[in-house]
Amino acid sequence: MKKYIKNLIRLVNYERDAEIELMRFEIAHMSGQKREELGRAINKVKGKYIGEELGLKIVQFGRSEIIETEISVGDMVLVSTANPLSSDFTGTVTEKGARFIKVAFDKRIPRWVLKKKVRLDLYANDITFRRMEDNLKHLSLKGKNALEYILSERNPKKNRSTPYIDYIDESLNESQKSAIENALSCENFYLIHGPFGTGKTRTLVELISQETRQNHKVLATAESNAAVDNILERLMENKKLNLTRLGHPQRVSKHNITQTLAYKVENHKLNKKIKKIRKKIDNLIEKRSVHTKPTPQYRRGYGDYDILFNASKGKGGRGISPEKMKSMAQWIEYNQQVDELHDEIRRVENKMIRDIIETSDVILSTNSSAALESIARTKFDVAIIDEASQATIPSVLIPIAKAHRFILAGDHKQLPPTIISDKAGSLEKTLFEELIRLYPFKSQLLNVQYRMNSLLMKFPNAEFYNNNLKSDSSVDDITINDIINTDSEEEAMLFVDTSKLDSEGERHLKDSKSIINRLEADIAVKLADDYLNIGLEETDIGIISPYADQVKIIQDKTPVEVKTVDGFQGREKEIIIISTVRSNDGGNIGFLSDLRRLNVAITRAKRKLIIIGNINTLESNPTYSRLIDFARKNNVLVEI
């Protein structure tokens, strides 16, 4: 156990160093303009202070030129005027507009931020890594138990008898109900395997509600803020539940802001007391300001006690007049009162936080924020963790370590955690994946999908899920024809083969390891335009590519959403267009060979999936070869 934990700490540090090094290397070796082109910096913006929000200072940075950036709400940015690496002033993005970006700071705003044109850089945040390392170094018994299951040092207990369940959501299917029943009755852990479109979040929301009905205190977490917000929004429909969302309030969706701990503290009845104390502090600071502050040049070596003693005797000393000594003593006395009042504010704030946490039925946070001091002493009956197949073991251990039981939900057939460091590659192996491999009887597959046309489901179902999935009748036959008027009936799938076309194929842009294919980019844009022209909304269409540079060149040509495969995990669109990019004579498909990436890409579409690729290149891989055969047999392969 000690050896395993020590290795996890080593891997966490490798990954932290790699992430920070990548960011620092890029900032050091790339111009601000180049980083802005990549979407990771914003240059020549001026700051304007616009006030406080939930205890944070908000600055709006703007310019006349339009801002196009990958920097998103919730990201940390580094603010600088010259060399960014010589600055340590960071904040969190709260809002984005066409020509402005708002950033929240938890410290005083330096004057230069508001006076000069500044640069904002997307910044790596090592707080998450520090929390993982600290949790591993002080791992609780429950955290160690979780590791014992995968180290074969402990066997999971059998489930208790299932309690009677009066379902709130009466339309749940049998596999969803089975998952809830088993999760409620487990003694130690349970796994909910939720492939694409199978209602995983809906199942978790019902499970959380049922746990609270048994008077269980629930910690509900996920790897991303978006997933936590998704669960929170659905839970808010149950008016009986008292919910509290932890974490930076600016990383929470605006709709959920009233459920945040920061908002609840600000609106707590005891907050009136804090406002009164702050007025007293302002009063004392004003009185203190007319007296001499005992800086080293005035003290002449005297400590606070010496100054107070001499002043009480009406004495001066060491060239200090009795009046000056008395004035310094008066400053010290006022300052001591200010410090006492600040201590009183902290006590009241802690009381408010304790009161909010104790009266909450469900605490929601990211895995990382489950390490916050506000719940350090809270005992949870169960931790329910979404996106568990995208979270590293050190990450999921943070919430697991705080609860008597844990439930993991995810899909290990989709993308694993993103790991940058070559040395930390084994962090890709998740607790969810290990437990479902060792104890398949402790899991339930959600087997009805509600997302896509049954033709679109057939290939991923056979290739990745042993044909265990089925479509709900409500989506079986949905097509594009249901939402737009077209002259002909459209099939739900199309594979566009480019192998017969003369083109330059794949290539690298200068100074980049990524790959582009201009021919495929043009085809993807043309297809998207055609659908926009016959009435589809921009929000109905998504274009996916595994390569970041390909995403960038397509983004510049179309108003529809274009992202990498990783950026589309957990998402869906009416139409998905995939540019596979690879086109070479050697059959080299690079990291397309990670088949989990393929699974994610082809399961985002609801009514229409279009794959663009060179079949001569792609057929070198057995899975892609089977996909091409599937398209051929269903008469949806088109050579152009």
Side-chain angles (χ1 to χ4, degrees), residues 281-291 330-331 334:
I281 289 172
D282 291 341
N283 218 357
L284 287 167
I285 287 172
E286 206 172 304
K287 289 180 180 177
R288 188 184 68 183
S289 66
V290 302
H291 295 283
Q330 198 68 59
W331 192 98
Y334 281 132

Side-chain angles (χ1 to χ4, degrees), residues 177 245 332 464:
K177 287 178 178 177
R245 170 77 153 91
I332 289 167
F464 303 107

Side-chain angles (χ1 to χ4, degrees), residues 360-379:
S360 296
D361 302 308
V362 186
I363 302 295
L364 299 103
S365 79
T366 59
N367 294 337
S368 171
S369 291
L372 287 169
E373 184 63 30
S374 51
I375 57 167
R377 292 177 182 81
T378 308
K379 288 186 167 51

Side-chain angles (χ1 to χ4, degrees), residues 138-155:
H138 308 96
L139 198 57
S140 71
L141 180 61
K142 289 298 174 187
K144 287 177 179 172
N145 287 351
L147 291 181
E148 284 172 347
Y149 297 128
I150 61 172
L151 295 173
S152 301
E153 292 179 6
R154 174 182 289 264
N155 289 318

Side-chain angles (χ1 to χ4, degrees), residues 486-578:
T486 57
D487 296 333
S488 59
E489 284 292 316
E490 289 216 16
E491 288 288 354
M493 184 178 171
L494 182 67
F495 197 117
V496 179
D497 171 28
T498 63
S499 63
K500 301 284 191 294
L501 286 172
D502 288 331
S503 79
E504 62 186 2
E506 65 180 66
R507 69 187 189 89
H508 293 278
L509 291 176
K510 191 181 176 187
D511 301 326
S512 176
K513 292 179 181 175
S514 189
I515 299 173
I516 65 163
N517 185 318
R518 293 194 186 278
L519 171 69
E520 287 193 13
D522 290 339
I523 294 170
V525 170
K526 178 72 172 69
L527 286 163
D529 285 346
D530 286 347
Y531 281 110
L532 292 174
N533 290 336
I534 57 172
L536 252 77
E537 300 291 328
E538 291 172 10
T539 51
D540 290 334
I541 306 169
I543 301 178
I544 296 178
S545 179
Y547 291 94
D549 280 357
Q550 182 78 345
V551 166
K552 186 77 180 92
I553 66 168
I554 298 174
Q555 276 174 337
D556 294 340
K557 299 177 179 183
T558 180
V560 307
E561 188 175 10
V562 190
K563 286 194 179 296
T564 60
V565 183
D566 306 56
F568 250 108
Q569 180 144 318
R571 308 270 312 284
E572 60 182 39
K573 293 277 186 183
E574 302 293 347
I575 297 181
I576 288 289
I577 301 166
I578 301 170

Side-chain angles (χ1 to χ4, degrees), residues 26 30-45 63 65-71 118-121 552:
E26 202 177 82
M30 205 177 270
S31 67
Q33 184 183 344
K34 180 65 178 170
R35 256 179 79 82
E36 176 149 358
E37 284 172 15
L38 293 170
R40 297 198 276 274
I42 305 168
N43 297 295
K44 297 177 183 173
V45 285
R63 69 185 187 197
E65 190 185 334
I66 284 180
I67 296 170
E68 292 180 14
T69 184
E70 291 293 306
I71 296 171
V118 301
R119 168 177 164 177
L120 308 178
D121 279 273
K552 186 77 180 92

Side-chain angles (χ1 to χ4, degrees), residues 317-566:
R318 296 180 190 168
I320 305 168
S321 67
E323 290 76 21
K324 181 79 80 179
M325 191 72 78
K326 190 176 180 184
S327 182
M328 287 197 293
Q330 198 68 59
W331 192 98
I332 289 167
E333 284 174 2
Y334 281 132
N335 199 56
Q336 286 173 341
Q337 289 176 56
V338 168
D339 286 345
E340 284 166 12
L341 288 173
H342 277 303
D343 288 342
E344 177 66 12
I345 284 175
R346 274 190 288 276
R347 280 194 292 274
V348 175
E349 281 178 342
N350 287 337
K351 189 176 188 315
M352 287 193 291
I353 289 168
R354 237 178 3 257
D355 178 45
I356 293 163
I357 298 297
E358 283 173 9
T359 55
S360 296
D361 302 308
V362 186
I363 302 295
L364 299 103
S365 79
T366 59
N367 294 337
S368 171
S369 291
L372 287 169
E373 184 63 30
S374 51
I375 57 167
R377 292 177 182 81
T378 308
K379 288 186 167 51
F380 292 94
D381 295 290
V382 61
I384 297 175
I385 302 159
D386 195 9
E387 299 184 320
S389 52
Q390 290 169 256
T392 64
I393 289 175
S395 176
V396 293
L397 281 176
I398 296 174
I400 283 172
K402 296 183 172 299
H404 179 65
R405 302 154 39 232
F406 65 91
I407 314 299
L408 302 183
D411 180 11
H412 54 300
K413 302 295 183 181
Q414 295 190 48
L415 286 172
T418 302
I419 304 300
I420 296 170
S421 169
D422 293 337
K423 296 178 182 174
S426 56
L427 281 177
E428 273 197 3
K429 200 163 276 188
T430 64
L431 188 67
F432 184 93
E433 188 178 3
E434 290 296 281
L435 290 175
I436 207 165
R437 178 179 63 81
L438 290 166
Y439 312 104
F441 61 92
K442 293 286 284 181
S443 70
Q444 172 66 51
L445 173 74
L446 305 182
N447 63 8
V448 182
Q449 71 84 18
Y450 300 86
R451 174 178 295 167
M452 61 178 63
N453 175 292
S454 57
L455 175 68
L456 298 184
M457 187 195 74
K458 275 183 183 173
F459 181 78
N461 189 20
E463 194 68 30
F464 303 107
Y465 302 101
N466 299 319
N467 282 318
N468 286 323
L469 303 181
K470 55 189 176 186
S471 294
D472 185 69
S473 57
S474 63
V475 295
D476 253 341
D477 302 315
I478 58 170
T479 67
I480 285 299
N481 298 85
D482 305 331
I483 55 174
I484 53 168
N485 293 318
T486 57
D487 296 333
S488 59
E489 284 292 316
E490 289 216 16
E491 288 288 354
M493 184 178 171
L494 182 67
F495 197 117
V496 179
D497 171 28
T498 63
S499 63
K500 301 284 191 294
L501 286 172
D502 288 331
S503 79
E504 62 186 2
E506 65 180 66
R507 69 187 189 89
H508 293 278
L509 291 176
K510 191 181 176 187
D511 301 326
S512 176
K513 292 179 181 175
S514 189
I515 299 173
I516 65 163
N517 185 318
R518 293 194 186 278
L519 171 69
E520 287 193 13
D522 290 339
I523 294 170
V525 170
K526 178 72 172 69
L527 286 163
D529 285 346
D530 286 347
Y531 281 110
L532 292 174
N533 290 336
I534 57 172
L536 252 77
E537 300 291 328
E538 291 172 10
T539 51
D540 290 334
I541 306 169
I543 301 178
I544 296 178
S545 179
Y547 291 94
D549 280 357
Q550 182 78 345
V551 166
K552 186 77 180 92
I553 66 168
I554 298 174
Q555 276 174 337
D556 294 340
K557 299 177 179 183
T558 180
V560 307
E561 188 175 10
V562 190
K563 286 194 179 296
T564 60
V565 183
D566 306 56

